[in-house]
Amino acid sequence: MTIDRREFTGLMAGLMGGLALPRAASAAADPPASITALEPMTAGVAPIDDAERAVRREKARRLMREQGLGAILLEPGSSMTYFTGVSWWPSERPFLALLPADGEPAWIGPGFEESRMRELIGETPELRVWQEDESPYALAAGLVRDRGLATGRIGIEEQVRWFIADGIRQEAASAAFVSATPVTAGCRMHKSPAELALMQRANDITLAAFRAVIPTLRDGVSQQEVSRAMMAAMTKLGGSDPWALILFGAGSAFPHGTRQPKQLRAGDIVLMDCGCAFEGYQADVTRTTVFGKPSARQRQVWELERRAQDAAFKAAQVGVPCEAVDAAARKVITDAGFGPGYKLPGLPHRTGHGIGLDGHEWTNFVRGNTTPLAPGMCFSDEPMIAIPGEFGIRLEDCLYITEQGPKFFTPQSESIERPV
């Protein structure tokens, strides 16, 4: 996918007509035999453990000191899970974690949830609770003062909602509240071997679902039916939180879908952008094929897209700035007469996004991003060619950076007739 991760869940749930079904959608009919016969692919990969999370927190402390931060503040979301293993729902009642540069984490939450919070964080960590008639922001300000941070710099993680950040800022006015992204992204951009193993399994599951579903394409099938089949396959294989954006014909030129329903007909481009999670870690894979015999135009653009994807992969070497990867793919496309730049017909979006616990996270293959590539970074490689009124071709495989260069999680498509 090619949206910012903050928009990701809302978009996937918001598209109408079943083109991008909500992640929680269930199949309306029994899936085909090729799906019901699938077996879970969940064995042999260990989830992230407390020892690894302790290493993450220690790295965060080091980065806090380098950035002159006394602490970072988290609320429920992927960063809280990343550093603590705690998952919670973001409601109007603040539930917060303060990770200090020195000392152990402390927690703040609603008093009536104390028993539940203790189940998650354990008995040892400091937990301060507020009652329904009390201010959680005053409680947070008291914690800041007690930790010696009243006049210090505190990093706010990017998923902390404004009403919470502003409430604390007003109660702890003498502290300086700044972005925690140099710490959180500085940790999360660089995946460990354990994280890469989980991402590999999510990608394996997604690709196996493609193999099961693509042969079931038939004349007259709807985008909704194919989307449900893909999600059912990923679930059967052991993936969680599955999603599937399915586009036919001219609708495939819309990078994130169209409200117009469409049934499959011979000669239609079929764009399938799908993924799931495994132990929280995301896969994001796109395959584009044609139903029936491809035209010369479809084949030409598909092969151009594959060359652009190859160019991005080749450019993704350790030390290279992220923008150079985008430039390499974009040059292939513009040299063929599309664009220039982000203009249509051509490549209207960045070449790739970071991926991990979030489907979209720091950082991106995009013009202007000078972040150097380093081992452990993970990205999508998806330089789409969109031709409004005709069709779009997107090939997307995620890659990770090693000391020796980039490696794909999934084998690339061989041809327009052989997408997997």
Side-chain angles (χ1 to χ4, degrees):
M1 298 292 288
T2 49
I3 55 173
D4 186 272
R5 62 173 181 71
R6 301 175 193 84
E7 302 171 289
F8 185 81
T9 302
L11 178 74
M12 296 305 292
L15 283 172
M16 297 179 65
L19 304 183
L21 290 176
R23 290 172 174 249
S26 59
D30 292 336
S34 62
I35 294 175
T36 57
L38 296 172
E39 297 291 336
M41 298 171 59
T42 55
V45 183
I48 302 300
D49 59 20
D50 288 341
E52 175 147 342
R53 281 187 282 268
V55 172
R56 294 170 176 179
R57 291 193 295 272
E58 191 53 45
K59 181 177 180 180
R61 292 184 185 102
R62 175 174 60 79
L63 293 176
M64 282 185 243
R65 295 181 191 115
E66 291 175 2
Q67 295 292 321
L69 300 179
I72 61 173
L73 186 73
L74 313 172
E75 73 157 320
S78 51
S79 286
M80 178 179 281
T81 302
Y82 178 86
F83 288 110
T84 71
V86 173
S87 294
W88 195 264
W89 54 95
S91 76
E92 78 281 7
R93 296 180 174 98
F95 173 64
L96 307 170
L98 185 76
L99 303 187
D102 296 294
E104 293 304 311
W107 298 81
I108 293 171
F112 77 97
E113 296 275 25
E114 183 170 2
S115 296
R116 172 65 174 155
M117 290 185 291
R118 279 294 178 196
E119 284 184 345
L120 296 173
I121 71 173
E123 292 298 324
T124 304
E126 180 181 3
L127 172 64
R128 299 190 183 190
V129 300
W130 53 277
Q131 303 305 325
E132 296 282 77
D133 60 345
E134 296 176 330
S135 168
Y137 313 117
L139 191 67
L143 176 60
V144 166
R145 289 191 296 271
D146 293 346
R147 290 295 183 105
L149 302 171
T151 58
R153 283 162 45 89
I154 299 172
I156 302 294
E157 201 269 343
E158 62 183 317
Q159 295 184 52
V160 175
R161 291 164 294 172
W162 167 250
F163 76 89
I164 292 175
D166 188 53
I168 297 172
R169 180 187 61 80
Q170 292 188 47
E171 292 287 347
S174 60
F177 292 94
V178 299
S179 172
T181 298
V183 176
T184 55
C187 290
R188 291 181 55 186
M189 279 195 300
H190 306 278
K191 273 65 178 182
S192 69
E195 291 178 286
L196 293 176
L198 296 174
M199 293 179 70
Q200 182 65 64
R201 187 57 55 89
N203 278 273
D204 292 344
I205 288 170
T206 304
L207 203 62
F210 276 111
R211 293 193 184 102
V213 172
I214 288 176
T216 71
L217 295 174
R218 67 185 190 280
D219 188 73
V221 72
S222 70
Q223 295 165 131
Q224 297 97 316
E225 290 176 273
V226 179
S227 183
R228 286 193 291 264
M230 276 297 297
M231 291 193 291
M234 288 184 281
T235 301
K236 193 77 164 54
L237 290 160
S240 61
D241 206 18
W243 54 270
L245 173 68
I246 309 298
L247 301 169
F248 297 159
S252 61
F254 290 75
H256 290 122
T258 167
R259 294 170 182 258
Q260 299 303 315
K262 180 75 165 69
Q263 277 142 353
L264 188 60
R265 296 291 180 253
D268 280 346
I269 285 289
V270 178
L271 188 154
M272 305 172 67
D273 190 344
C274 310
C276 66
F278 186 75
E279 292 289 343
Y281 283 84
Q282 304 291 325
D284 190 356
V285 182
T286 303
R287 292 292 177 260
T288 304
T289 186
V290 67
F291 183 61
K293 184 178 180 180
S295 68
R297 169 75 159 169
Q298 290 168 336
R299 185 183 303 278
Q300 178 189 41
V301 176
W302 193 100
E303 291 175 352
L304 176 64
E305 164 73 0
R306 173 59 196 270
R307 291 197 298 274
Q309 190 190 40
D310 289 344
F313 181 81
K314 184 178 179 180
Q317 304 294 323
V318 172
V320 168
C322 286
E323 66 177 357
V325 180
D326 179 82
R330 201 168 297 277
K331 184 177 188 303
V332 172
I333 294 170
T334 56
D335 284 354
F338 292 99
Y342 294 86
K343 293 182 179 179
L344 291 172
L347 170 52
H349 54 64
R350 62 198 174 201
T351 292
H353 56 81
I355 187 168
L357 274 174
D358 288 316
H360 288 232
E361 61 182 44
W362 296 96
T363 188
N364 302 303
F365 292 150
V366 67
R367 183 186 300 165
N369 185 3
T370 59
T371 304
L373 296 182
M377 288 184 170
C378 299
F379 302 89
S380 68
D381 179 355
E382 50 172 323
M384 180 182 190
I385 301 173
I387 308 172
E390 289 190 62
F391 57 83
I393 306 289
R394 180 160 68 237
L395 302 175
E396 178 182 15
D397 297 277
C398 290
L399 60 82
Y400 57 100
I401 307 298
T402 75
E403 294 284 0
Q404 294 73 42
K407 291 188 181 297
F408 278 124
F409 287 104
T410 44
Q412 293 169 278
S413 293
E414 294 181 10
S415 68
I416 194 170
E417 296 95 344
R418 293 177 60 84
V420 292

